Every structure is written in C-alpha cells, then in structure tokens.
Amino acid sequence: LKRARERGLPASLTFRQWAAALSYFRCRCAYCGKAPYEVMEHYLAMQFGGGTTVDNVLPSCKICNSKKRDLPPEYFARLFPLECVRNIREYFEGCVEFPIKK
C-alpha cells in the first residue's frame, strides 16, 4: 500500500480482500497454480499504473514473479498455463466491490 501511495496510485486493498484472494487461489501461486505463494504480485505493474487494489494483486511464487517481471497482461498467455490465466480472469471478474476495468 505504501509503495502505491508514494507513486500516487490507488491503494485500497484491505486485509480481508487479500485473505479472500489467498483463499481463492488456495495459498498457491496464481500464475503456475502449483507453488506456494511467496509475494503479493501486481497484475498490472505499478509502472503502468496498476495500484494495490483487490482487482490488481495476486499471490505469486518468486519464480513466476521473476518470470512475469513488469510485462503487461497480454503476454501472460505465452508465459503461463492457460488454465491459470483463465482462473485469474475468473477471479478478477468475481471482484464485485472493485470490478476490473476492461
């Protein structure tokens, strides 16, 4: 939240929302679906305007976090299993409080 605020980006993620994300992905990496999560990952990188919000953060393992880097979402289908990409999209579509902007 602090990093997002310092950059003038949205920073509204609550502990409850993060806990719900962890539950949805079963405390596993949203990108590979196998490894336990180790970091909070910004789906749309901060450098592209992605804040720390319920519709922009995911649990990630360090390997996938490094693999994804700051790439924009359109590259994910090439990097990660299609099933995980679909699961991420379904998760964001279910974020009723703060729906993902299309």
Side-chain angles (χ1 to χ4, degrees):
L1 292 171
K2 181 182 175 187
R3 284 178 45 219
R5 286 186 190 118
E6 288 173 349
R7 295 174 184 211
L9 298 170
S12 59
L13 184 72
T14 66
F15 177 78
R16 188 177 191 161
Q17 290 167 332
W18 178 240
L22 293 177
S23 176
Y24 183 88
F25 291 102
R26 299 175 321 234
C27 289
R28 299 223 171 270
C29 175
Y31 295 101
C32 69
K34 296 178 181 173
Y37 98 92
E38 298 171 285
V39 297
M40 179 187 290
E41 215 294 303
H42 287 80
Y43 182 73
L44 180 62
M46 289 180 150
Q47 74 180 42
F48 297 118
T52 305
T53 59
V54 70
D55 62 345
N56 194 49
V57 295
L58 296 167
S60 177
C61 67
K62 289 182 180 178
I63 292 172
C64 287
N65 182 261
S66 293
K67 187 177 180 182
K68 180 192 163 282
R69 300 185 322 250
D70 288 338
L71 293 172
E74 54 267 18
Y75 290 95
F76 297 170
R78 299 178 207 165
L79 296 174
F80 302 106
L82 187 56
E83 177 183 329
C84 292
V85 173
R86 284 185 188 136
N87 198 25
I88 290 168
R89 174 167 288 203
E90 288 173 10
Y91 168 72
F92 283 139
E93 287 173 355
C95 291
V96 177
E97 282 184 53
F98 302 96
I100 192 164
K101 295 165 186 69
K102 297 186 181 191

